[in-house]
Amino acid sequence: MFAIVRTGGKQYRVAAGDKIVIDKIDGDAGASVTLGDVLMAGEGSELQDVAGFTVAAEIIAQAKADKVIVFKKRRRHNYRRRNGHRQQHTILKIVSVGGHTAKQSEGETAPAVQA
């Protein structure tokens, strides 16, 4: 089974056991996360309804990408600037695809929190 999930403004096609690199999300290595923004899911050529569909993943590591050098220069003005940047990212391992979340019916409301 596969799913298309959206996180960090990008879309990823994932299946159970896949490893993906996404923009940094909070959590330590070994923590589990749930990706709830599922756009499409299916198996083979058959598509399924994605209402309440979730993807469970485990954080493998928080890391940095390769360095990108930013170099600015203006000719004949003795202007040169060199800067480097390393983007933070998170490496995820997809544990399961297809968990459904429990939905509340329209008539029910969440219990009030008393202070």
Side-chain angles (χ1 to χ4, degrees), residues 1-47:
M1 171 167 285
F2 73 93
I4 307 293
V5 296
R6 178 172 43 205
T7 179
K10 299 177 188 80
Q11 298 173 7
Y12 302 91
R13 183 186 190 278
V14 296
D18 287 352
K19 292 182 183 178
I20 59 172
V21 177
I22 63 171
D23 289 341
K24 184 170 173 44
I25 57 174
D26 291 335
D28 294 327
S32 61
V33 295
T34 302
L35 305 174
D37 194 4
V38 179
L39 304 176
M40 187 170 77
E43 186 153 1
S45 62
E46 297 179 17
L47 298 180

Side-chain angles (χ1 to χ4, degrees), residues 40-82:
M40 187 170 77
E43 186 153 1
S45 62
E46 297 179 17
L47 298 180
Q48 295 182 351
D49 182 30
V50 294
F53 211 81
T54 59
V55 173
E58 178 184 348
I59 297 176
I60 294 176
Q62 302 283 5
K64 288 184 176 183
D66 293 335
K67 183 174 276 197
V68 176
I69 302 297
V70 179
F71 185 74
K72 299 178 181 180
K73 179 179 178 179
R74 294 197 179 137
R75 297 187 312 165
R76 299 182 298 273
H77 289 281
N78 196 24
Y79 176 84
R80 287 182 291 276
R81 299 291 181 268
R82 182 179 178 275

Side-chain angles (χ1 to χ4, degrees), residues 86-108:
R86 291 186 72 186
Q87 185 70 32
Q88 301 276 338
H89 62 244
T90 302
I91 303 170
L92 293 180
K93 180 178 183 193
I94 306 301
V95 176
S96 68
V97 175
H100 287 275
T101 59
K103 291 175 138 183
Q104 291 183 351
S105 66
E106 294 177 14
E108 291 183 28

